[in-house]
């Protein structure tokens, strides 16, 4: 059995205080509480700490979308997607493209997902079909696309 120090290195135990993704998580909590200004400022703190972490950008995009700033939301969702290709960033970017009426961008996300053998998320498809709103996706239930 390895010594405890190698199982739980110091950096892992105390890193969350200075981890940009923690700011993304905190921003999502503020978003779900509809405290949008706090969500934006918290996401921006994460971005300032580490501008290569996708989650603060994604959370900022979601709040901007909820506030009706579709253009800014798309820019931040694109940054999140470029930094980290995963379900959450892909689906968020797809919703932002749809909100902006950009079918070509939406199709690009579909093509990227298909390349990796992944289908578009049901919530995004329901949003596209008019069955869900941005509020339904990002404020209700699980409060997220993935």
């Amino acid at each position: 059995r390895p010594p405890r120090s190698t199982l739980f290195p110091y950096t892992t135990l105390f890193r969350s205080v200075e981890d940009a993704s923690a700011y993304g998580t905190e921003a999502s909590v503020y978003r779900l509480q509809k405290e949008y200004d706090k969500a934006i400022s918290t996401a921006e703190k994460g971005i300032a700490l580490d501008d290569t972490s996708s989650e603060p950008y994604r959370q900022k995009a979601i709040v901007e979308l909820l506030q009706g700033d579709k253009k800014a939301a798309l820019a931040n969702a694109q940054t999140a997607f470029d930094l980290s290709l995963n379900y959450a960033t892909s689906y968020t970017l797809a919703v932002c493209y749809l909100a902006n009426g950009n079918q070509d961008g939406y199709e690009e996300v579909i093509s990227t997902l298909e390349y990796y053998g992944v289908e578009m998320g049901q919530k995004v498809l329901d949003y596209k079909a008019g069955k869900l709103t941005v509020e339904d996706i990002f404020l209700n239930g699980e409060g997220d696309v993935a």
Side-chain angles (χ1 to χ4, degrees):
R1 181 172 170 210
R4 185 171 177 81
S5 63
T6 58
L7 288 175
F8 301 102
Y10 176 81
T11 55
T12 302
L13 286 173
F14 299 101
R15 186 171 167 231
S16 64
V17 174
E18 292 299 322
D19 185 354
S21 64
Y23 286 100
T25 301
E26 184 179 347
S28 73
V29 171
Y30 287 130
R31 167 178 51 89
L32 291 169
Q33 295 172 346
K34 297 182 182 179
E35 294 188 42
Y36 299 141
D37 291 340
K38 284 184 180 179
I40 292 279
S41 67
T42 301
E44 288 173 345
K45 287 177 188 175
I47 292 165
L49 179 65
D50 179 3
D51 65 359
T52 66
S53 179
S54 66
E55 192 58 15
Y57 285 103
R58 191 177 82 86
Q59 289 301 322
K60 187 174 181 186
I62 292 168
V63 173
E64 290 166 336
L65 197 57
L66 288 165
Q67 292 179 317
D69 192 348
K70 298 172 186 177
K71 188 175 179 180
L74 179 57
N76 281 301
Q78 183 68 59
T79 300
F81 177 84
D82 291 344
L83 290 169
S84 179
L85 176 60
N86 58 50
Y87 291 108
T89 59
S90 300
Y91 297 166
T92 302
L93 180 59
V95 169
C96 287
Y97 274 130
L98 291 170
N100 278 277
N102 186 332
Q103 186 64 34
D104 290 341
Y106 175 75
E107 294 294 332
E108 285 179 30
V109 176
I110 289 177
S111 294
T112 301
L113 293 172
E114 286 176 349
Y115 177 82
Y116 291 101
V118 175
E119 294 180 7
M120 183 56 71
Q122 189 60 49
K123 290 180 184 177
V124 178
L125 297 173
D126 287 347
Y127 175 75
K128 186 176 191 290
K131 296 177 183 177
L132 291 176
T133 64
V134 170
E135 291 79 9
D136 292 333
I137 296 170
F138 295 113
L139 293 176
N140 302 328
E142 297 167 7
D144 215 333
V145 286

